Amino acid sequence: MITKKMEKALNEQINKEFYSAYLYLAMSAYCNKLNMPGAEHWFRMQYDEEVIHMTKMFDYVMQHGGDAHLMQIDEPPREFGSVPSAFEASLAHEQFVTKSINELLDVAVEERDHATQVFLQWFITEQVEEEANVQEIVQRLKLAGDNGGALIMLDDKLAQRLPPAPPVAK
Ligand code: FEO
């Protein structure tokens, strides 16, 4: 059974995961407008990832005697300046989410909630991967600069991103 403080912190993180999904869907739409189908696909796959994160946490709250409380989701931006700027915004967002997950783990430690500490380990590992993936794309886009051929090759590579693995059955 999770405490009320833990429940509140998890519900706030559910909202952040929903916002992440919204943000990546908006980035996907932005890339569609710029005719960058690979980047559009990459952000769409990232949207799917965020829905999995949100659902995983939503289910956890309910399975541990808490109330899953769905809150209003902020509207994401519609303009990102350029495809490289969208990926830079994505990296900044993932760094924000990592900080948020770390703070959530701090609450679980304060509450002496061992089950939630174990649960959150998955998210800690996931954030390391998420940041590393986006960081690599940001660096490659920087190397490509204004080279149209290199950008198209990178876009083709982004188009190869596979869908996320479905969550493990409850
Ligand atoms: Fe759910 Fe991208 O962190």
Side-chain angles (χ1 to χ4, degrees), residues 13 16-18 20-21 24 46 49-54 57 90 93-98 101 122-123 126-127 130-131 134:
Q13 187 64 36
K16 286 176 193 161
E17 300 295 342
F18 258 124
S20 302
Y24 289 123
Q46 191 61 29
E49 285 263 359
E50 299 302 345
V51 170
I52 289 172
H53 297 173
M54 179 277 296
M57 210 166 273
S90 163
H93 181 71
E94 288 307 326
Q95 288 164 343
F96 161 76
V97 172
T98 298
I101 296 281
W122 184 89
F123 285 87
E126 180 75 358
Q127 282 311 119
E130 298 237 312
E131 280 194 38
V134 190

Side-chain angles (χ1 to χ4, degrees), residues 54-139:
M54 179 277 296
T55 310
K56 211 173 166 74
M57 210 166 273
F58 176 78
D59 287 342
Y60 180 84
V61 170
M62 291 189 298
Q63 283 163 357
H64 290 77
D67 284 332
H69 175 198
L70 298 178
M71 292 173 260
Q72 184 169 330
I73 308 162
D74 290 339
E75 183 179 337
R78 292 181 198 175
E79 288 294 329
F80 296 92
S82 65
V83 170
S85 299
F87 278 100
E88 277 171 26
S90 163
L91 179 59
H93 181 71
E94 288 307 326
Q95 288 164 343
F96 161 76
V97 172
T98 298
K99 184 169 175 289
S100 180
I101 296 281
N102 288 341
E103 287 167 359
L104 200 51
L105 182 57
D106 290 343
V107 175
V109 171
E110 280 164 25
E111 295 295 288
R112 303 175 64 82
D113 182 342
H114 298 114
T116 303
Q117 288 174 46
V118 171
F119 171 70
L120 289 174
Q121 290 304 323
W122 184 89
F123 285 87
I124 301 272
T125 308
E126 180 75 358
Q127 282 311 119
V128 172
E129 193 183 307
E130 298 237 312
E131 280 194 38
N133 289 343
V134 190
Q135 180 80 59
E136 184 184 306
I137 296 167
V138 165
Q139 281 171 348

